[in-house]
Amino acid sequence: MKLGGIARQGVACATGWPRTAAAARRAATASPVLRHVKHSAQQQQQRAPALRRALTVRAEAAVSNGNGNGAASQEFDFDLFCIGAGSGGVRASRVAAGTYGAKVGICEMPYNPIASDTEGGAGGTCVLRGCVPKKLFVYASEYRETFADAQGFGWQVGAEPSLDWAAFMKKKNAELERLNGVYMKLLNNSGVEYVEGRGQLVDAHTVKVGDRTVTARNILVATGARAFVPSFEGSELCMISDNALEVTEVPKSIVIIGGGYIAVEFAGIFAGLGTEVHLIYRQDAPLRGFDEEVRKFATEQYALNGLHLHPLSTPQKLEKGPDGRLKFTGAKRSGSESSEEETFVLDVDHVLAATGRRPNVHNLGLEEAGVKMTKKGAIEVDDYSQTSVKSIWAIGDVTDRMALTPVALMEAMALTRTIFGDEPSKPDHQNIPTAVFSHPQIGTVGMSEEQAVEAYGNVDVYSSSFRPMRNTISGNEGRTLMKLVVATDTDKVVGCHMVGPDSAEIMQGMGVAVKMGVTKRQLDSTVGIHPSAAEEFVTMRTPTRELRKEAAKVAA
Amino acid sequence: MSEEYDLVTIGAGSGGVRASRLSAGQYGAKVAVIELPFGLVSSDEVGGAGGTCVIRGCVPKKLMVYASEFSEAFDDAEGFGWSKVKPSVDIKKFLARKAKEIERLNGVYGQILDKAGVECIEGRGIVLDPHTVEVRASDGSVRQLKTKNILIATGGRAVKPPIDGAELAITSDEALVLDDVPEGGTIAIVGAGYIAVEFAGIFSGLGYKVHLVIRGEQPLRGFDEELRQLVGTNLGKRGVDVHLKTSPTKLEKNADGGIDLHYEVPKKGGGKKEKNGEKEEEEKEKGMISCHKVLFATGRKPNTRGIGLEDAGVQLDEKSKAVKVDEYSHTNVPSIWSIGDCTDRLNLTPVALMEGRALAATLFGGKPTAPDYENVPSAVFCQPPLGTVGLTEAEAVEKLAGDIDVYVSKFKPMKNTLSGRDERTFMKMLVHVPTDRVIGCHMVGPEAAEIVQGLGIALKCNATKAQFDSCVGVHPSAAEEWVTMTSATRRIKGEGKQLEPTTHKCGGNKAHD
């Protein structure tokens, strides 16, 4: 049994376990240890031959006994067992099984749109209590504005249409159940074995699901995250986003605690549905981490849409009245530098805490298996999503890198390539385009102006705010902001930001361009699509600000 | 005639305004621009700063698309639990608001020119000789301008086919101000181009019964075949009566005060007559559509007649009568240049803007600049819209050598899962396998125009499929589909000679300023 040098140095896979020749070859190429190879420039160039080799090896494995998995399963029940059937887990499992022919099992808790320690469902947060239901809520909430806009265009709408909330919720839930079924089918069609129940690690190669114990060469922890509610007096009366997506009637009034994207998205949804919305956030603007100009502009638009904004504010107390309504007490600082506080009280139907999410790492047996955690309580992984235990991997929100569905998908693709594709692959977390489905939408890719100044010193900013063409007739006061951040010395577009209708859709293509390293010159050479909002990104000719390192020094 | 200009531009549309204001504002040239008095419907005496795009094209069209889209929203809202509304539209109120906005924009264009130091002269501009332009004002006064260079940017206008009763039909100019069709009335649109399908969507959305009369087998000749089919299907689903392979023969006033549109179609089950062994025309049968209005959207022609071009020796294309220009927009007369629709290259506002910018750089920037017509993204605002950039499948096969992978994605947009709307979004990406270059992106579906703009940038940067794949999706969006197309739907063989797709130089060949 000849093994390559890399595999011979291997820790977990190349020693100890008896195996067939085919399995050994698989181990040589699929060993998690492979990732320790540093990719020198030279090795990068040799990638093509390496790929060919991988194909040959897989072909051999298939020929030798008709199924390489059979060989693997002599030692382990599975090549890969995944805990959690959310975006990342499902993708990794079905690609491992479907594309690479691995023997894969996955466990997930019974279906329930509201997650708990005992309930979940295939599809995970994204499909059941995140992206998908949220977007459906956004759609439903946009019509009130549409009816108003229509009148500007001469439509005689008359009395405002009413919303049958129960009917909407029923259709929404039917759609979620359908999608849950689609995910089950995806797994089934790729030959992944589905085990219902809560998975717990027993050791580096063993998982317990209910009464069943399974062994696996590799274990993937993809258990996601859930909403976190900070502790304050009465905080147990808060609902979280899971509940907000299940409300049985449209609240008349709501307090939303938080300044992140989930908070502003629900603020937009409920305001659109006619709810009186109070947004409580600690900073002077929501959406910390976003471009400052974007934050400021979005905040103005939120105010225009009727949100009651409470900056510099924190929750203090929550009480339930005899009528079931909630009395929310908050404290507001008098300035961002001030510690002087003034309390205020709001009587509302609901209080939603959108105050962050925490990785689902408890009671999973992670400590017992020796998996290291980060200081913030996420599973610690390296660039290849490998944990401190070589046979255990983790992707998605439980690793708290960038908690986004498409990122989990990317991590899953890279992971399967690493483990089964003989091609150690790092997910690339740079220049990921994202959207916030607040009202208005925000789309962004790359650096904020502030980050760019920090990174490059010399930065040209192109910023344009305008009234969308539709609003010239509708009378809607909403405006759009578009912004490019260019590193002056290289002419590279390092950031692209937008607040306004269709930002999410527009930002995808911009994301491709920015990821490619597009220069401002190349943007300028692209012809616009007229009339569109997006054409603004290729017709910005004059910098709004030219920020220079030298000037900054002088000013300092 | 004491003063001499560096540039006199005839026509203050998209191209003329851009070239003039950059020549004056950026390069300091002495520039005058001549334009006819403002009016919504154009003629030999009526025009207005802003031109077709602003006054009787892109802008009013898009506003009408917006207006008409509400009927879709009213229907979709029901699927989301909102009570049924079937409002009617006060078309006069809408058109008045639209007219006000167009007038505002016309004023903005005037201001842009003023600010750049361009002299705006109202009247009809006629080329007297290679260095003289005469301006005939509507009050009868005449003025002659001496100039080093003349720019012809007179645009184009709609033409009607020469059939009996054609004078009864309107063109797109009038369609944009149409206010005398009774509620729920019938409009027949003749034509298969983008203007025809756009108006079909507009009038249908506004509550009229629409017939679309198309000579060929699909609308939108020149676009990717699969897109054409889907646009045809969508028109039908939205209640437009699409008449394929139908040739109008005659228009007649009818007793109800409307118009009868007579046409011929191939006879059902009819064969092709053979005579003397040669194939004759298909057997035809006649038919008629009675309607309130007939809109001819049957093409446009360059505005090049009666402005002294022939006398000045400027060559026109024999067939189209477009001004003949070289790649620098230069006519055969050294001092005369021409851009925009009157040159009939790619008749789009942003292309005229590109030509205007390139021309200013050529003339006054010391940088001879040729506009780049490769990978120009564009949209058709049918409903739902179409967006496209790069080669169609047929063009790719014809031009390129080597394998071409076709990635197709057809899906129900998330909104339609609840709205119940029976429409699918279609996306198609063409990849040249030997180079991995993405050579075409085509789409029909909501927000197609907005989505394709960014893809246009990527194609201008010579994007490869691997580069698309390396981009993470924006979720949930339709556009994310463009970066998650993992397996090709089919592989086809290129039959052309080109070994690799056209490569854009960094920044294209356009001046950076």
Side-chain angles (χ1 to χ4, degrees):
Chain A
M1 179 160 83
K2 291 258 180 201
L3 286 178
I6 295 159
R8 228 180 286 124
Q9 291 158 24
V11 187
C13 290
T15 57
W17 300 308
R19 67 190 71 205
T20 64
R25 274 196 298 275
R26 289 168 51 79
T29 56
S31 160
V33 177
L34 260 186
R35 60 141 203 96
H36 288 297
V37 180
K38 286 268 186 291
H39 281 270
S40 66
Q42 196 193 358
Q43 277 168 323
Q44 294 264 350
Q45 284 165 2
Q46 289 168 350
R47 189 166 239 197
L51 260 174
R52 269 202 297 281
R53 184 167 54 83
L55 287 170
T56 319
V57 170
R58 272 204 303 283
E60 275 174 7
V63 169
S64 64
N65 58 3
N67 67 5
N69 308 328
S73 59
Q74 287 177 4
E75 292 314 311
F76 295 105
D77 300 334
F78 296 101
D79 294 316
L80 176 71
F81 192 84
C82 177
I83 306 178
S87 305
V90 168
R91 175 61 62 92
S93 302
R94 76 177 176 86
V95 171
T99 306
Y100 296 109
K103 187 164 162 56
V104 182
I106 192 167
C107 67
E108 175 59 65
M109 298 183 291
Y111 174 84
N112 188 337
I114 297 182
S116 69
D117 274 355
T118 52
E119 289 178 305
T125 303
C126 170
V127 175
L128 305 180
R129 55 196 81 85
C131 320
V132 174
K134 173 265 300 280
K135 188 96 188 264
L136 293 175
F137 268 53
V138 168
Y139 284 134
S141 71
E142 284 171 343
Y143 287 105
R144 187 179 296 268
E145 184 180 65
T146 303
F147 298 136
D149 288 351
Q151 306 198 26
F153 279 90
W155 289 92
Q156 294 154 319
V157 180
E160 189 174 284
S162 60
L163 175 61
D164 182 345
W165 185 249
F168 164 68
M169 290 298 276
K170 204 174 148 197
K171 288 183 86 166
K172 182 216 72 164
N173 286 331
E175 174 61 11
L176 297 195
E177 276 165 46
R178 186 186 72 82
L179 288 172
N180 173 252
V182 167
Y183 272 72
M184 297 291 279
K185 216 180 283 170
L186 280 176
L187 289 168
N188 194 34
N189 289 349
S190 353
V192 176
E193 186 180 334
Y194 186 84
V195 184
E196 189 167 270
R198 183 176 167 81
Q200 266 179 306
L201 291 168
V202 176
D203 62 38
H205 290 281
T206 313
V207 178
K208 200 166 169 289
V209 187
D211 299 337
R212 188 173 163 192
T213 302
V214 299
T215 60
R217 185 182 303 281
N218 294 286
I219 295 170
L220 175 59
V221 182
T223 48
R226 77 177 69 165
F228 163 82
V229 182
S231 177
F232 61 94
E233 195 183 332
S235 60
E236 71 281 358
L237 296 170
C238 289
M239 59 158 68
I240 59 167
S241 54
D242 290 17
N243 315 108
L245 291 166
E246 293 294 316
V247 287
T248 49
E249 54 189 292
V250 177
K252 295 227 166 22
S253 55
I254 192 167
V255 159
I256 298 175
I257 309 169
Y261 80 95
I262 299 173
V264 295
E265 287 181 344
F266 276 105
I269 287 167
F270 284 117
L273 293 171
T275 306
E276 177 186 311
V277 177
H278 295 269
L279 190 62
I280 312 286
Y281 47 94
R282 202 185 287 270
Q283 308 270 320
D284 49 10
L287 296 171
R288 192 155 62 96
F290 283 73
D291 181 275
E292 286 299 326
E293 193 177 7
V294 165
R295 294 177 72 189
K296 186 165 173 284
F297 186 87
T299 308
E300 286 164 15
Q301 298 299 308
Y302 296 157
L304 204 65
N305 287 329
L307 295 192
H308 300 270
L309 301 174
H310 302 270
L312 306 169
S313 299
T314 46
Q316 294 232 300
K317 193 163 49 164
L318 191 54
E319 298 156 279
K320 194 170 203 161
D323 54 355
R325 279 170 60 82
L326 297 172
K327 187 171 143 189
F328 172 88
T329 308
K332 183 180 178 171
R333 283 173 293 145
S334 55
S336 51
E337 304 297 314
S338 166
S339 57
E340 226 173 272
E341 284 186 343
E342 212 172 277
T343 59
F344 61 97
V345 172
L346 299 164
D347 283 306
V348 291
D349 292 342
H350 291 297
V351 173
L352 164 62
T355 37
R357 296 175 67 83
R358 296 279 187 276
N360 285 327
V361 293
H362 298 295
N363 306 322
L364 280 173
L366 290 168
E367 300 85 347
E368 291 82 343
V371 175
K372 274 195 197 150
M373 299 290 158
T374 67
K375 275 181 201 150
K376 290 167 99 182
I379 295 180
E380 190 177 283
V381 287
D382 65 9
D383 288 349
Y384 298 88
S385 303
Q386 192 169 33
T387 73
S388 56
V389 179
K390 298 299 168 211
S391 60
I392 302 180
W393 312 72
I395 57 171
D397 293 4
V398 76
T399 62
D400 198 25
R401 284 174 282 185
M402 236 180 143
L404 295 167
T405 283
V407 171
L409 299 181
M410 167 177 68
E411 290 166 359
M413 296 303 282
L415 181 78
T416 51
R417 219 174 291 138
T418 300
I419 301 181
F420 301 106
D422 189 29
E423 201 186 340
S425 304
K426 296 181 193 180
D428 178 0
H429 294 89
Q430 294 289 309
N431 287 328
I432 289 175
T434 62
V436 177
F437 291 95
S438 60
H439 186 64
Q441 285 179 13
I442 300 172
T444 176
V445 61
M447 292 183 180
S448 67
E449 179 179 337
E450 295 71 31
Q451 288 168 332
V453 166
E454 180 79 30
Y456 299 103
N458 297 334
V459 170
D460 287 353
V461 176
Y462 298 77
S463 174
S464 162
S465 134
F466 57 92
R467 197 170 191 194
M469 190 193 275
R470 191 171 178 275
N471 291 358
T472 60
I473 304 291
S474 69
N476 190 316
E477 299 278 322
R479 293 179 68 83
T480 290
L481 171 76
M482 296 173 88
K483 178 171 181 175
L484 292 171
V485 182
V486 178
T488 315
D489 301 334
T490 57
D491 198 40
K492 276 218 162 57
V493 179
V494 296
C496 180
H497 310 278
M498 174 167 180
V499 184
D502 305 326
S503 292
E505 300 290 356
I506 290 170
M507 206 49 63
Q508 184 68 75
M510 299 308 294
V512 177
V514 170
K515 184 90 187 172
M516 288 177 68
V518 69
T519 61
K520 180 64 171 65
R521 216 179 149 88
Q522 284 173 318
L523 277 193
D524 293 346
S525 78
T526 305
V527 177
I529 292 184
H530 189 69
S532 69
E535 67 179 319
E536 194 70 18
F537 276 131
V538 299
T539 54
M540 292 175 147
R541 304 294 178 197
T542 320
T544 314
R545 294 185 279 287
E546 296 178 333
L547 306 165
R548 295 293 176 265
K549 220 182 303 187
E550 295 74 19
K553 272 183 203 148
V554 171
Chain B
M1 263 190 287
S2 54
E3 54 186 358
E4 188 178 19
Y5 295 89
D6 294 313
L7 177 69
V8 168
T9 301
I10 305 180
S14 304
V17 167
R18 179 58 56 95
S20 301
R21 82 174 172 83
L22 289 181
S23 297
Q26 197 161 317
Y27 300 112
K30 185 170 164 60
V31 182
V33 61
I34 302 160
E35 178 56 64
L36 297 163
F38 174 79
L40 293 179
V41 175
S42 69
S43 69
D44 277 355
E45 287 84 39
V46 175
T52 303
C53 169
V54 174
I55 303 171
R56 54 196 82 85
C58 320
V59 175
K61 174 265 300 280
K62 187 93 189 264
L63 292 175
M64 291 194 78
V65 168
Y66 283 132
S68 65
E69 279 173 344
F70 286 104
S71 56
E72 168 185 338
F74 298 143
D75 284 345
D76 288 353
E78 262 187 86
F80 282 88
W82 289 92
S83 55
K84 191 180 184 69
V85 281
K86 266 276 173 231
S88 58
V89 63
D90 182 342
I91 196 78
K92 287 200 162 78
K93 179 181 164 190
F94 162 63
L95 290 174
R97 293 188 77 143
K98 180 183 77 88
K100 214 172 126 193
E101 173 61 11
I102 302 301
E103 275 170 54
R104 186 186 71 82
L105 289 172
N106 168 256
V108 167
Y109 272 73
Q111 280 164 19
I112 286 174
L113 289 167
D114 277 348
K115 243 193 232 164
V118 176
E119 187 182 341
C120 298
I121 305 172
E122 192 170 279
R124 183 170 171 78
I126 312 270
V127 178
L128 290 188
D129 65 49
H131 292 283
T132 313
V133 176
E134 184 172 278
V135 188
R136 298 179 190 161
S138 46
D139 63 3
S141 64
V142 171
R143 181 178 162 189
Q144 287 184 359
L145 310 174
K146 280 282 175 204
T147 179
K148 292 195 181 82
N149 295 286
I150 297 172
L151 173 59
I152 310 297
T154 46
R157 79 174 68 161
V159 285
K160 296 177 188 176
I163 62 169
D164 282 354
E167 72 284 354
L168 298 173
I170 59 171
T171 68
S172 55
D173 283 18
E174 295 92 1
L176 290 165
V177 294
L178 191 63
D179 66 355
D180 59 351
V181 175
E183 212 179 304
T186 304
I187 299 174
I189 300 172
V190 179
Y194 78 94
I195 299 175
V197 296
E198 288 179 345
F199 275 107
I202 288 168
F203 288 132
S204 178
L206 289 173
Y208 301 111
K209 173 70 204 158
V210 176
H211 294 269
L212 183 61
V213 179
I214 292 176
R215 206 181 283 269
E217 301 198 18
Q218 291 293 346
L220 295 175
R221 194 153 64 90
F223 287 82
D224 191 89
E225 286 299 323
E226 281 177 285
L227 261 61
R228 297 178 66 190
Q229 267 175 34
L230 185 60
V231 169
T233 306
N234 286 344
L235 282 164
K237 280 187 180 172
R238 292 195 179 212
V240 173
D241 205 339
V242 183
H243 304 257
L244 300 173
K245 296 164 85 174
T246 304
S247 309
T249 50
K250 176 167 68 165
L251 303 186
E252 274 178 340
K253 267 192 186 155
N254 63 26
D256 307 331
I259 300 168
D260 288 341
L261 184 153
H262 297 269
Y263 62 78
E264 279 182 355
V265 283
K267 198 170 181 177
K268 271 194 191 118
K272 289 186 179 175
K273 274 192 256 171
E274 286 202 18
K275 206 163 118 190
N276 303 335
E278 278 181 32
K279 274 191 182 169
E280 279 284 293
E281 280 200 341
E282 285 175 290
E283 281 183 70
K284 296 278 175 72
E285 62 185 12
K286 292 182 190 315
M288 189 187 82
I289 300 166
S290 290
C291 54
H292 292 91
K293 284 282 177 211
V294 174
L295 163 60
F296 277 149
T298 41
R300 297 174 65 83
K301 66 160 194 198
N303 284 328
T304 52
R305 314 304 297 275
I307 53 173
L309 292 179
E310 288 101 329
D311 299 342
V314 176
Q315 275 180 12
L316 303 183
D317 182 83
E318 259 172 54
K319 204 167 149 229
S320 69
K321 300 296 172 198
V323 181
K324 273 185 161 174
V325 288
D326 68 9
E327 58 174 331
Y328 296 95
S329 303
H330 208 173
T331 72
N332 61 308
V333 179
S335 61
I336 302 182
W337 311 74
S338 185
I339 59 172
D341 292 3
C342 62
T343 62
D344 199 23
R345 285 175 282 184
L346 194 51
N347 297 339
L348 296 166
T349 283
V351 169
L353 299 179
M354 167 174 70
E355 291 167 354
R357 175 172 292 271
L359 181 70
T362 300
L363 279 176
F364 305 109
K367 258 190 284 182
T369 306
D372 177 4
Y373 297 90
E374 290 273 345
N375 285 326
V376 170
S378 66
V380 177
F381 291 95
C382 47
Q383 297 178 29
L386 175 158
T388 176
V389 61
L391 303 175
T392 64
E393 192 174 324
E395 286 169 342
V397 168
E398 192 198 314
K399 282 191 182 167
L400 288 165
D403 285 344
I404 297 157
D405 274 347
V406 184
Y407 294 78
V408 171
S409 173
K410 200 168 179 183
F411 59 93
K412 200 178 210 186
M414 192 192 280
K415 192 180 212 172
N416 294 4
T417 60
L418 258 69
S419 71
R421 177 167 295 278
D422 178 26
E423 265 174 13
R424 308 221 155 211
T425 289
F426 177 89
M427 293 177 177
K428 178 175 189 171
M429 180 187 276
L430 300 170
V431 177
H432 184 237
V433 177
T435 54
D436 197 40
R437 287 270 304 280
V438 177
I439 51 176
C441 294
H442 311 282
M443 164 175 185
V444 174
E447 276 79 70
E450 302 291 355
I451 290 170
V452 170
Q453 181 69 75
L455 305 180
I457 300 168
L459 263 63
K460 207 71 177 173
C461 298
N462 312 310
T464 61
K465 180 66 169 64
Q467 285 172 317
F468 265 80
D469 293 345
S470 77
C471 186
V472 175
V474 174
H475 186 70
S477 70
E480 67 180 314
E481 201 65 22
W482 286 112
V483 298
T484 53
M485 293 175 159
T486 43
S487 42
T489 310
R490 57 180 180 271
R491 177 167 287 189
I492 52 175
K493 281 247 175 287
E495 293 165 6
K497 294 205 173 97
Q498 224 174 301
L499 292 175
E500 53 186 77
T502 310
T503 300
H504 298 278
K505 286 171 260 166
C506 170
N509 37 9
K510 214 166 123 236
H512 183 60
D513 44 38

